[in-house]
Amino acid sequence: MSLHKRALSGLLAAVLLFLAAAPALVAPAGAVTQGDIQAIRDRLAGAAAQKKDVEERLAAIRGDLSRAEEQAALVQTQVLLCEEQVAAGRELLAQTDARIAENQRQVAELEAREAAQMEEFYRQVRWMEETGETSLLSVLFQAGSFSDLLNYAMLVTDIMDYSDRIVERLQATRGSLNEARAALEDSRAQQAQAQSGLEASLAELERQKAQAQALLAQLAASESEYVQKAAQLAADQAEMERELKDAEAQWAAQIAAAAASGEWYWPVPGYYGITSYFGGRYLNGAWDSHTGTDIGAPQGVEIHAAQSGVVTLSRYNSSYGNYCIISHGGGYATLYAHQSRLPLVSVGDTVQKGQVIGYVGNTGNSFGAHLHLELRVNGVRDNVLRLYPHITFIDMS
């Protein structure tokens, strides 16, 4: 290395050490992180689940509402039929009352006729007694001959038979009418009982109808409530989707803004020894394609961000050990592996070029302390050393 290059490297190393000692820069106020974006996505998922639950409940309510409407219609039909039966029963009662009244009128007429006939009979007997100045028995004893006796006896018998026939007919008629009246009264009692039962059934159906109507009103109110909830959730979901879109746009803008122009920062200032280059290599006697560049450095040396950007991954796995990935915009991203502990930055953090993000270590699939540095351009791995044409590296492979 020439004296000029050594002086330039020393000056650059001093500047980098000064920057490394400066306080770590943080994301500006109001910046969006991937954590914020994930939180919106979680809220969206929760809203979607709630919306699905509300829609399922709404479908169930509408099913219940349909069944309730069918039940209410059936009850209404039963009420109408029962009302027709009650009306028919009342009409039959009225007809029964009319027949009983007619029979009572006939009975009264027959009783009046019987009274008239009896009065006629009594007048005839009294006339005989008054004209003969004797009783019917005396008439028989006044006979002057057997022929007269027979004639008087026949007269008395005719009179008695006439009276008896009148009485018998009237008694028979009265008996028949009494029986008819009793039968009609019995029919009326049965019909009244049936009418009472029909009216009780009608009252019960009216109660069921009222219950069905109340259930319909309740279900309709519930349907309206859940329709409003579904509409509100849909509106909330649309608002969160707009919020997510805005947040993702802002996040992308942050990445683009963070990827400042100019030279890339060497992540381990003062350590330029390359122990394994990007691309094909022999590893343990077998050909291997190395995905990054290994930089030899002691355990615990600070690792700096090569360029400004946003942390998209920060975790541990068995191959990379503790590692993180920073997206710099324009399709560029860098990966820092085998850190001694979990990175100092988290997913969504905005970092500035030169900011300390972790420490050199030996975690994961590693055989000594070093930094495994990767460059990815639009998702494709590339040689990170091409970003540092101004640095002379030491081959330690």
Side-chain angles (χ1 to χ4, degrees):
M1 179 182 295
S2 66
L3 181 61
H4 177 70
K5 286 185 178 180
R6 286 180 181 176
L8 181 61
S9 297
L11 178 60
L12 178 62
V15 171
L16 294 178
L17 285 173
F18 173 76
L19 292 174
L25 298 176
V26 296
V32 173
T33 69
Q34 275 196 332
D36 297 332
I37 293 175
Q38 186 59 46
I40 297 173
R41 287 175 178 162
D42 291 343
R43 285 166 50 206
L44 264 174
Q50 288 182 356
K51 188 170 180 288
K52 181 180 178 183
D53 180 64
V54 167
E55 288 172 347
E56 290 175 352
R57 290 175 181 266
L58 186 57
I61 286 173
R62 284 175 173 163
D64 292 340
L65 187 58
S66 176
R67 288 189 292 272
E69 287 173 347
E70 292 176 2
Q71 181 66 24
L74 179 60
V75 171
Q76 179 64 26
T77 301
Q78 291 175 327
V79 168
L80 292 175
L81 290 174
C82 192
E83 286 176 345
E84 291 179 3
Q85 289 178 320
V86 169
R90 288 172 178 167
E91 184 178 352
L92 183 58
L93 274 177
Q95 293 175 359
T96 303
D97 289 340
R99 286 199 303 271
I100 290 175
E102 176 62 22
N103 287 333
Q104 287 175 338
R105 186 185 63 79
Q106 292 176 358
V107 169
E109 289 179 355
L110 289 172
E111 287 176 344
R113 186 182 303 171
E114 177 192 36
Q117 290 172 349
M118 288 299 296
E119 180 63 27
E120 181 181 2
F121 172 73
Y122 291 145
R123 283 198 305 270
Q124 184 177 6
V125 172
R126 284 195 299 272
W127 175 81
M128 289 176 63
E129 288 181 347
E130 290 173 356
T131 56
E133 297 181 354
T134 182
S135 65
L136 291 174
L137 186 59
S138 299
V139 171
L140 295 177
F141 287 110
Q142 289 177 0
S145 64
F146 182 72
S147 177
D148 292 337
L149 178 61
L150 290 177
N151 288 332
Y152 287 142
M154 288 178 64
L155 176 60
V156 171
T157 301
D158 288 341
I159 293 171
M160 296 300 296
D161 287 343
Y162 174 73
S163 178
D164 289 342
R165 284 194 300 270
I166 291 175
V167 173
E168 288 173 359
R169 284 197 303 269
L170 290 176
Q171 286 179 344
T173 301
R174 183 177 293 175
S176 298
L177 289 174
N178 286 336
E179 290 176 1
R181 181 188 297 173
L184 286 172
E185 289 290 349
D186 184 59
S187 297
R188 183 178 182 182
Q190 292 178 359
Q191 184 62 24
Q193 184 177 4
Q195 179 73 11
S196 176
L198 284 173
E199 291 180 348
S201 298
L202 180 61
E204 174 62 21
L205 287 173
E206 289 290 353
R207 186 186 66 80
Q208 293 180 13
K209 179 181 175 182
Q211 286 182 341
Q213 293 296 337
L215 178 60
L216 280 173
Q218 180 182 356
L219 289 172
S222 297
E223 180 188 29
S224 177
E225 178 185 355
Y226 277 97
V227 165
Q228 291 177 359
K229 284 184 180 179
Q232 184 60 48
L233 284 171
D236 292 345
Q237 195 172 12
E239 178 62 27
M240 282 186 280
E241 286 173 352
R242 287 192 294 271
E243 185 180 349
L244 176 62
K245 185 177 179 179
D246 292 344
E248 288 176 337
Q250 184 178 346
W251 186 69
Q254 287 173 200
I255 292 177
S261 60
E263 293 183 348
W264 289 68
Y265 193 97
W266 183 244
V268 278
Y271 298 92
Y272 305 102
I274 308 303
T275 59
S276 183
Y277 290 91
F278 171 79
R281 66 174 180 175
Y282 281 99
L283 181 65
N284 297 326
W287 185 254
D288 176 58
S289 180
H290 193 212
T291 59
T293 299
D294 290 345
I295 305 165
Q299 179 95 5
V301 169
E302 292 178 344
I303 301 172
H304 302 256
Q307 188 59 270
S308 300
V310 175
V311 179
T312 59
L313 199 63
S314 179
R315 65 180 184 181
Y316 171 89
N317 76 13
S318 58
S319 178
Y320 285 129
N322 299 311
Y323 76 106
C324 64
I325 297 176
I326 301 174
S327 176
H328 308 290
Y332 280 73
T334 50
L335 179 149
Y336 309 81
H338 307 308
Q339 297 184 37
S340 62
R341 62 182 186 180
L342 287 175
L344 300 177
V345 291
S346 302
V347 172
D349 287 351
T350 299
V351 298
Q352 301 299 320
K353 180 171 66 176
Q355 178 179 333
V356 177
I357 59 174
Y359 302 95
V360 172
N362 188 31
T363 58
N365 187 14
S366 173
F367 301 97
H370 71 284
L371 170 63
H372 175 88
L373 178 65
E374 288 187 16
L375 170 66
R376 298 179 182 182
V377 181
N378 295 321
V380 179
R381 291 180 175 89
D382 199 351
N383 183 8
V384 71
L385 295 184
R386 72 179 179 82
L387 301 177
Y388 302 95
H390 56 287
I391 296 179
T392 301
F393 298 102
I394 303 172
D395 184 358
M396 300 177 61
S397 61

